[in-house]
Amino acid sequence: MAPVSLHLLHRARPSLPFRDGGGRPASTTGLLPWRRQYWSYTSARMRLSMPVSAVAAETPPLPRADDDETSAPADEEEEKFDWLDQWYPVAPVCDLDRRAPNGKMVLGLRVVAWHDGGEWRVVDDVCPHRLAPLSEGRVDGKGRLQCAYHGWCFDGHGACQFIPQAPALGPPVHKNSRACVASYPSVVQNNILWFYPRSEPEHSDVLQRKRPPYFPELDDPSFKAVYGVRDLPYGYELLVENLMDPAHVPYAHRGLFPEDLEFDQERGGPFKMKIENASIHGFHSNLDEDWGYFKFVAPCTLVGSPFRIRPVDHQGEEKKQQPEVTLVFFCVPVAPGRSRYIWANGLYVGRWFNITPRWWYHSITNTVLDSDTYLLHIEERNFAKVGIENWHKACYVPTSSDNLIIAYRNWFRKYCNHEIGWATPTVNQLVPPTRTRVELLERYWSHVKQCTSCSSALKGMRALEAILQVASFTVIGFLAATKGTIVMAAVQMAAAVLLFAASRWITNFIEKTFYFQDYVHADK
């Protein structure tokens, strides 16, 4: 996938996005008591490392595969990135159900988000009673999160409010600290729910010290943003790296790339990228005169504009500005070999933009994501075989179009030591064999189930499919029960055939749009 609006600009359509490895947690103080005990017991025997991450050589101007100097001297101490001192996006608010708990995994941590009637809350997805998942429960009439196993109820701060099995006149066992569930600071910003993965009391006012990245364009009424989310079968590093790579767009997404943006017969071209302001907090890149800019805000956020905005001269008419495109991506580390892609992309446009349903844009975005998912899934396993210390030798990156990727790999090495600071112990999920294409490119569980627009569209099309089939058989039954002219019978039969054919077309459309559609590069 790539940092570019793939399906329009020239057709005045909204932009598409450019198109979990383990490590020791940076801190374990935010874990529940039973989790802290488990981690302290296993940490001496268990050192989990990212199976995919690697780092490119920092030798300017371009790294070579045979460079040996790829890391700082051993006696040079670098500032380390604290993965637990960051805000992480849970999901766009429009894709969260206010009437029920919403379970998610972020940074190896299972959390559940729900609306208590006043605001969104985020707590650990585990009941302290018998460790059942709270995300399988419900939100009761008082806005409390109720466990589906034994009915224990919790408020937005994680305090237990009610234990049905406790005698009403007995001791208040629900007030015991062991009856509480860890609660995390959360905030809604830019229509996205964020949470901070530390539950200690001293972090309850973290918003006074540190906030999630903010983008005023997304709150501008004249800016039409299309939000979306999808879980992907490859790790966080591969997702970030892929979104920073515009050079792969005309090849990995062949057939989806606008023809008027081609560069040569092979539809490729050089990209001159200059990295600026590189630090522990991320870096900025300005592309050449034909392209825009990109910014990486560690650890999750990528923002930029794929094309510079220039006035357009229409044969003597007053010069007009091209539609301004802003792309905002959030790359969420879920678990080793798993990541979550959240996007908020759009442009300043007229009223016509609002009439296109959100699920239609999602279907296009999912096609773009599908086109390189299998490539990245296999690539991740190839990187794991190479080893993080040998990535710079195995990968030959001789052109400036790889500068963003090299900058990111250097950031990941320099400040993270090739590791993600998972909030809980994680298991290397790259060990199982490569999954089938049907499993990798499935859309229902990775996107549709999490998307309110696509879920509603699927229900509507299922209903339309059933109506067409019933109508087809009804017409046939009516034809058999009545005696009419040959012409009338032919018309009725044709109508029945058309209705049935339409129902089959809807069935095929549903399968490709909401469940699975293969992407074969050789056919593009």
Side-chain angles (χ1 to χ4, degrees):
M1 254 286 311
V4 123
S5 175
L6 294 178
H7 57 294
L8 16 59
L9 293 188
H10 66 305
R11 298 179 183 172
R13 294 190 176 232
S15 62
L16 276 184
F18 315 174
R19 184 295 278 153
D20 316 271
R24 289 185 302 173
S27 172
T28 60
T29 56
L31 306 180
L32 290 175
W34 64 272
R35 283 182 171 163
R36 289 199 297 267
Q37 181 181 9
Y38 175 79
W39 178 253
S40 62
Y41 173 76
T42 58
S43 60
R45 302 166 34 192
M46 184 175 173
R47 288 188 60 94
L48 302 172
S49 61
M50 286 301 297
V52 178
S53 40
V55 60
E58 284 189 312
T59 48
L62 294 173
R64 294 172 54 87
D66 55 354
D67 288 334
D68 291 326
E69 297 298 323
T70 61
S71 59
D75 58 348
E76 182 180 329
E77 293 186 4
E78 300 289 356
E79 185 179 4
K80 296 303 179 184
F81 187 78
D82 188 352
W83 288 83
L84 295 185
D85 187 28
Q86 313 296 329
W87 286 90
Y88 292 90
V90 177
V93 172
C94 59
D95 289 324
L96 294 173
D97 190 347
R98 284 174 171 258
R99 303 165 299 174
N102 301 265
K104 297 288 184 180
M105 177 180 282
V106 179
L107 208 65
L109 184 68
R110 293 188 179 275
V111 298
V112 55
W114 90 98
H115 199 272
D116 65 0
E119 58 185 296
W120 287 97
R121 305 289 190 173
V122 179
V123 300
D124 256 327
D125 189 14
V126 56
C127 180
H129 177 214
R130 300 270 288 279
L131 309 186
L134 293 173
S135 57
E136 292 298 316
R138 60 187 67 86
V139 179
D140 68 9
K142 298 181 180 180
R144 302 177 302 189
L145 179 61
Q146 185 181 63
C147 179
Y149 199 17
H150 293 91
W152 287 32
C153 295
F154 306 89
D155 65 15
H157 300 289
C160 185
Q161 298 293 305
F162 178 59
I163 298 178
Q165 295 78 24
L169 300 179
V173 292
H174 67 281
K175 294 184 178 181
N176 190 294
S177 61
R178 295 187 62 186
C180 298
V181 61
S183 175
Y184 302 100
S186 60
V187 64
V188 174
Q189 185 168 280
N190 288 141
N191 300 310
I192 292 176
L193 175 62
W194 298 75
F195 90 107
Y196 183 84
R198 300 292 291 270
S199 60
E200 301 89 339
E202 60 266 28
H203 296 291
S204 60
D205 60 348
V206 65
L207 278 171
Q208 304 300 321
R209 174 180 63 86
K210 186 174 189 175
R211 296 187 66 90
Y214 176 70
F215 306 99
E217 298 91 341
L218 298 182
D219 289 336
D220 187 340
S222 62
F223 182 89
K224 176 62 177 180
V226 178
Y227 292 85
V229 58
R230 182 167 177 180
D231 288 353
L232 298 169
Y234 49 84
Y236 154 86
E237 307 105 300
L238 266 293
L239 175 59
V240 175
E241 179 182 287
N242 194 46
L243 295 176
M244 290 182 177
D245 180 20
H248 82 281
V249 175
Y251 304 102
H253 308 304
R254 188 179 180 89
L256 305 174
F257 196 62
E259 294 182 0
D260 57 350
L261 296 178
E262 295 181 6
F263 294 96
D264 55 29
Q265 184 177 2
E266 289 298 324
R267 304 195 303 173
F271 295 87
K272 298 178 181 178
M273 301 181 184
K274 182 180 179 181
I275 307 301
E276 301 174 351
N277 303 322
S279 71
I280 192 173
H281 305 294
F283 50 84
H284 180 275
S285 173
N286 282 315
L287 280 72
D288 63 24
E289 60 181 10
D290 293 323
W291 293 82
Y293 72 92
F294 299 101
K295 185 177 182 180
F296 170 57
V297 182
C300 294
T301 308
L302 291 170
V303 61
S305 178
F307 307 103
R308 295 194 184 280
I309 308 304
R310 293 197 187 92
V312 179
D313 190 356
H314 294 281
Q315 297 180 350
E317 299 179 4
E318 182 181 354
K319 290 185 177 182
K320 300 179 181 179
Q321 289 288 100
Q322 295 176 345
E324 184 176 347
V325 182
T326 298
L327 308 176
V328 183
F329 313 122
F330 303 102
C331 307
V332 183
V334 175
R338 295 169 55 196
S339 59
R340 181 171 300 117
Y341 174 47
I342 299 174
W343 65 91
N345 305 329
L347 44 95
Y348 292 100
V349 292
R351 295 179 179 178
W352 64 266
F353 186 89
N354 295 315
I355 66 175
T356 306
R358 178 170 171 248
W359 68 264
W360 176 257
Y361 297 121
H362 285 183
S363 69
I364 301 173
T365 304
N366 280 322
T367 300
V368 176
L369 292 171
D370 287 345
S371 60
D372 58 13
T373 290
Y374 188 77
L375 301 176
L376 294 168
H377 182 75
I378 299 299
E379 181 178 318
E380 183 172 37
R381 279 151 176 76
N382 289 338
F383 282 166
K385 295 177 182 177
V386 172
I388 57 176
E389 70 281 0
N390 295 318
W391 183 90
H392 68 289
K393 296 180 179 179
C395 298
Y396 180 51
V397 284
T399 69
S400 63
S401 63
D402 292 311
N403 280 1
L404 272 172
I405 297 170
I406 295 169
Y408 169 69
R409 290 296 183 177
N410 287 336
W411 175 86
F412 197 59
R413 174 198 60 79
K414 184 176 182 179
Y415 300 110
C416 306
N417 193 29
H418 317 298
E419 295 181 344
I420 293 176
W422 302 106
T424 61
T426 56
V427 178
N428 188 332
Q429 298 184 10
L430 298 184
V431 175
T434 302
R435 289 183 282 173
T436 65
R437 296 179 69 89
V438 174
E439 293 174 315
L440 292 174
L441 304 185
E442 71 83 22
R443 293 185 181 181
Y444 182 78
W445 293 104
S446 64
H447 170 73
V448 175
K449 185 67 174 178
Q450 306 180 66
C451 176
T452 54
S453 299
C454 292
S455 295
S456 298
L458 176 59
K459 291 179 181 178
M461 291 186 186
R462 284 295 189 197
L464 178 60
E465 176 189 27
I467 291 173
L468 291 173
Q469 291 178 353
V470 170
S472 173
F473 289 110
T474 300
V475 171
I476 294 176
F478 181 79
L479 176 64
T482 59
K483 295 181 178 180
T485 65
I486 296 177
V487 174
M488 181 61 67
V491 170
Q492 291 176 335
M493 180 60 68
V497 171
L498 288 175
L499 287 171
F500 184 76
S503 72
R504 298 308 302 164
W505 186 90
I506 290 291
T507 301
N508 185 60
F509 181 80
I510 288 174
E511 172 67 20
K512 290 183 176 181
T513 304
F514 301 108
Y515 289 95
F516 169 78
Q517 181 177 8
D518 200 2
Y519 188 97
V520 182
H521 290 83
D523 295 340
K524 304 299 179 181

